[in-house]
């Protein structure tokens, strides 16, 4: 039974596609992946909402009868409590964000050399980022004040978080560069794992006989015939 032209068209298109792919150079995935990565990074940098960060600082201070070295250890401990549920639940009212959202909008850092705690708030609003940092640092300071008589160490606010002027991410040049690098890496990996085309072979070049060897061979043949 003969197929109609409409039924033969998909098979013809597939054959043409395979023929076109076989004619492409073997390194074609590399530039394609680079272009796709560049376009993706550029799109992310242009379309993603900007993020702002604001940071406030607190310092652990030892009381008169407390070893000053204890302040460093308590600063490390209070730094770990910044993202705890107790601290975030206390700060959510002043921060204007629910506790679930604050978990991803707050981070803290401490120094092994100084009793300093930094609290960074992140938001798509510059004012909100500063509010989050200040609310959380206040919550930590209040919590430390409840036990300062027992620990002999209290926290004091060192600096107030200010409204940031510029967003920290995303950056269009940085996003584009990261996308290009990721595309190049992916393209290179595809070239490494891609099987070679069928029909490729490597043959050794065998030199032909020299004129002297050819003459000696013909002489031996004549002697054998005699």
């Amino acid at each position: 039974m003969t197929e109609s032209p409409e039924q033969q068209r998909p098979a013809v298109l597939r054959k043409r596609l395979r023929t076109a792919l076989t004619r492409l150079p073997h390194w074609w995935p590399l530039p394609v992946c680079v272009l796709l990565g560049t376009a993706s990074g550029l799109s992310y940098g242009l379309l993603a909402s900007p993020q702002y960060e604001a940071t406030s600082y607190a310092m652990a201070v030892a009381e008169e009868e407390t070893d000053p070295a204890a302040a460093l250890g308590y600063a490390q401990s209070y730094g770990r409590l910044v993202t705890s549920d107790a601290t975030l639940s206390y700060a959510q009212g002043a921060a204007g964000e629910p506790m679930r959202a604050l978990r991803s909008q707050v981070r803290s850092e401490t120094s092994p050399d100084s009793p300093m705690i930094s609290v960074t708030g992140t938001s798509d609003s510059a004012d909100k980022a500063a509010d989050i940092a200040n609310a959380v640092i206040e919550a930590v300071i209040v919590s430390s004040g409840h036990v300062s008589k027992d620990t002999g160490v209290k926290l004091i606010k060192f600096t107030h978080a200010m409204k940031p002027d510029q967003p920290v991410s995303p950056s269009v040049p940085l996003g584009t560069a990261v996308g290009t690098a990721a595309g190049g890496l992916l393209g290179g990996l595809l070239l490494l794992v891609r099987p070679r085309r069928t029909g490729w072979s490597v043959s050794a070049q065998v030199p032909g006989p020299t004129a002297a060897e050819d003459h000696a061979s013909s002489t031996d043949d004549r002697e054998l015939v005699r």
Side-chain angles (χ1 to χ4, degrees), residues 207-218 220:
T210 62
E213 292 176 348
D214 191 10
H215 177 71
S217 177
S218 60
D220 294 340

Side-chain angles (χ1 to χ4, degrees), residues 8 33 41 203:
Q8 295 177 355
C33 291
S203 59

Side-chain angles (χ1 to χ4, degrees), residues 56-60 71-72 75-76 79 109-118 155-159:
S56 58
Y57 295 88
M59 178 178 288
L72 182 60
Q76 303 290 330
E109 295 180 0
T110 57
S111 172
D113 303 321
S114 63
M116 188 80 70
I117 302 172
S118 67
L155 288 180
I156 61 173
K157 181 178 287 187
F158 191 75
T159 60

Side-chain angles (χ1 to χ4, degrees), residues 4-206:
S4 62
E6 289 77 9
Q7 294 176 339
Q8 295 177 355
R9 185 174 300 173
V12 173
L13 292 176
R14 287 194 299 268
K15 183 178 180 180
R16 290 179 179 178
L17 180 60
R18 286 195 299 267
T19 303
L21 290 177
T22 55
R23 291 178 179 177
L24 291 175
H26 69 280
W27 44 264
W28 70 265
L30 182 59
V32 171
C33 291
V34 170
L35 290 176
L36 291 177
T38 303
S40 300
L42 179 62
S43 301
Y44 176 78
L46 293 175
L47 300 178
S49 59
Q51 295 293 312
Y52 295 87
E53 287 186 355
T55 304
S56 58
Y57 295 88
M59 178 178 288
V61 179
E63 300 289 346
E64 295 181 357
E65 299 179 356
T66 306
D67 184 2
L72 182 60
Y74 277 104
Q76 303 290 330
S77 300
Y78 287 131
R80 298 186 185 95
L81 294 176
V82 168
T83 55
S84 65
D85 290 344
T87 302
L88 297 181
S89 62
Y90 186 86
Q92 62 181 344
E97 295 285 348
M99 186 173 66
R100 181 179 299 177
L102 285 179
R103 287 194 182 97
S104 60
Q105 293 177 290
V106 176
R107 76 173 187 271
S108 65
E109 295 180 0
T110 57
S111 172
D113 303 321
S114 63
M116 188 80 70
I117 302 172
S118 67
V119 176
T120 302
T122 305
S123 177
D124 56 1
S125 168
D127 291 325
K128 182 67 67 176
D131 292 341
I132 291 173
N134 291 323
V136 174
I137 203 73
E138 288 287 351
V140 177
I141 292 174
V142 170
S143 299
S144 68
H146 294 161
V147 295
S148 60
K149 292 182 179 180
D150 299 325
T151 61
V153 176
K154 64 179 181 180
L155 288 180
I156 61 173
K157 181 178 287 187
F158 191 75
T159 60
H160 190 77
M162 304 298 294
K163 174 184 175 181
D165 297 330
Q166 299 292 333
V168 295
S169 66
S171 171
V172 175
L174 179 61
T176 304
V178 172
T180 303
L185 178 61
L186 180 59
L189 292 176
L190 288 177
L191 290 179
L192 291 177
V193 302
R194 186 186 182 194
R196 293 186 176 183
R197 293 176 181 175
T198 57
W200 285 14
S201 62
V202 178
S203 59
Q205 298 294 332
V206 180

